[in-house]
Amino acid sequence: MSTGTDPLASLAELPGVPEAVAEVRKAVDRLYGHRVMRRRAGEVTSEAAIRGARASAALDGADWPLEEIRRRTDFGGDAEARTVGGALRISAEAGQLLGVWRHSPLQVLARLHLLAVGDADPSAGRPRRAGEQAGPLFPVELAAAEGFDKSFEGVELPPAPGAEEVAARLDQLSHLLASRAEGAANGAPALVTAAVVHGELLALRPFASHNGVIARAAQRIVLIAEGLDPKAICPAEVGLAELGTASYRDALAGYLSGTGDGMARWIRHCGEALRLGVRESTAVCEAMQRGMV
């Protein structure tokens, strides 16, 4: 088996990143050591999946109460219902795609898009073609509600790259992930890798729609595949929603800047979101222990 230097390894040394990695590792290990995990890990995984899906849909503009999502059986109605339904389908299947992810991440991304939009959409399961536009990452109604026009004066996100650049960068990302799966690269912690995958997919917006929920699902798959969260009990999407779309967009602007400080800000933001996801599942475990769930 060949060995080499992970091109992401240097990101792990950016300001504040080593501390973020250590804090995340400690928080995740504590959650995995919770006594509830000994017998009810599957239930915690299921609860994390639905809470993560709810939060991811909320970040895409469909902010439904958890109770409503549990109650509903039909998600084929209006746009919000379809968004929630797509997030639920993605969350339910993400953990089953690990085998394919390790050798063909692009195939998994295509599958995630198909799950998000349904097979009736002609763009389902394929990246944008030349001339096709990517949908917005942050819904207008959320932007207005959180005052983006004030919070982001002079911090405009650039337009999505064209189809040719998207294809090239997706290919690079795929090769990077495949090399890690084969053990050809060592160095970058799982949090760093997951944050880069998440940020790169948001930057590229490779599909005509639902890029946000797909990028967040890809981050979750990386965290599972790299062994940081093998049981998928740490819903980082919950943390991202709790931190708010304004902070999310600001951190993404840092990633898009390509500077060391900007990249560090993005990775730290992803780490903070993951810690909040751990806190969410810890509360679930505590409720189970008290017999409330």
Side-chain angles (χ1 to χ4, degrees):
M1 182 180 297
S2 61
T3 60
T5 301
D6 189 337
L8 303 182
S10 61
L11 299 179
E13 303 304 321
L14 291 173
V17 172
E19 293 82 0
V21 168
E23 289 168 6
V24 163
R25 179 79 266 179
K26 182 177 179 181
V28 171
D29 286 348
R30 187 182 301 118
L31 173 58
Y32 270 80
H34 196 287
R35 62 187 304 172
V36 166
M37 289 294 296
R38 298 173 193 168
R39 295 186 178 181
R40 303 182 68 180
E43 294 175 65
V44 179
T45 296
S46 296
E47 189 64 22
I50 191 171
R51 290 175 184 242
R54 190 217 71 81
S56 196
L59 289 164
D60 268 13
D63 193 0
W64 286 18
L66 193 59
E67 295 74 15
E68 174 69 7
I69 294 176
R70 293 191 200 280
R71 182 186 68 81
R72 289 280 288 266
T73 57
D74 178 15
F75 296 95
D78 60 19
E80 283 199 6
R82 293 193 298 272
T83 295
V84 174
L88 287 169
R89 289 190 295 272
I90 285 174
S91 189
E93 191 166 319
Q96 303 170 30
L97 299 172
L98 289 180
V100 181
W101 177 266
R102 290 189 172 98
H103 65 80
S104 184
L106 301 188
Q107 185 177 338
V108 171
L109 295 177
R111 175 61 181 168
L112 294 176
H113 188 249
L114 179 62
L115 291 169
V117 304
D119 54 14
D121 190 316
S123 71
R126 63 164 178 80
R128 290 184 286 116
R129 294 171 180 162
E132 291 181 332
Q133 300 298 312
L137 284 176
F138 300 100
V140 174
E141 59 270 25
L142 256 63
E146 298 210 8
F148 275 5
D149 54 341
K150 294 181 180 179
S151 300
F152 292 100
E153 291 178 357
V155 190
E156 293 295 327
L157 298 182
E164 185 174 345
E165 181 180 346
V166 167
R169 287 171 63 175
L170 281 177
D171 190 56
Q172 292 174 351
L173 184 64
S174 179
H175 283 300
L176 171 66
L177 292 170
S179 71
R180 291 180 63 84
E182 294 169 2
N186 302 283
L191 172 63
V192 173
T193 305
V196 168
V197 170
H198 183 181
E200 188 68 2
L201 291 175
L202 291 179
L204 295 180
R205 282 159 272 178
F207 300 99
S209 64
H210 296 83
N211 289 295
V213 70
I214 290 169
R216 292 184 287 274
Q219 173 179 264
R220 174 182 283 229
I221 291 172
V222 172
L223 293 173
I224 298 169
E226 300 249 337
L228 180 60
D229 182 21
K231 296 184 184 297
I233 60 172
C234 306
E237 304 93 333
V238 171
L240 290 168
E242 185 172 338
L243 291 170
T245 49
S247 295
Y248 194 13
R249 177 169 171 155
D250 181 56
L252 176 60
Y255 178 88
L256 295 174
S257 75
T259 66
D261 287 344
M263 294 292 291
R265 186 164 77 248
W266 170 250
I267 296 168
R268 293 195 304 267
H269 186 79
C270 290
E272 186 175 359
L274 187 55
R275 290 198 303 276
L276 290 172
V278 168
R279 187 178 70 179
E280 181 84 358
S281 286
T282 300
V284 169
C285 287
E286 293 295 326
M288 288 181 175
Q289 186 168 298
R290 294 193 299 271
M292 297 173 62
V293 176

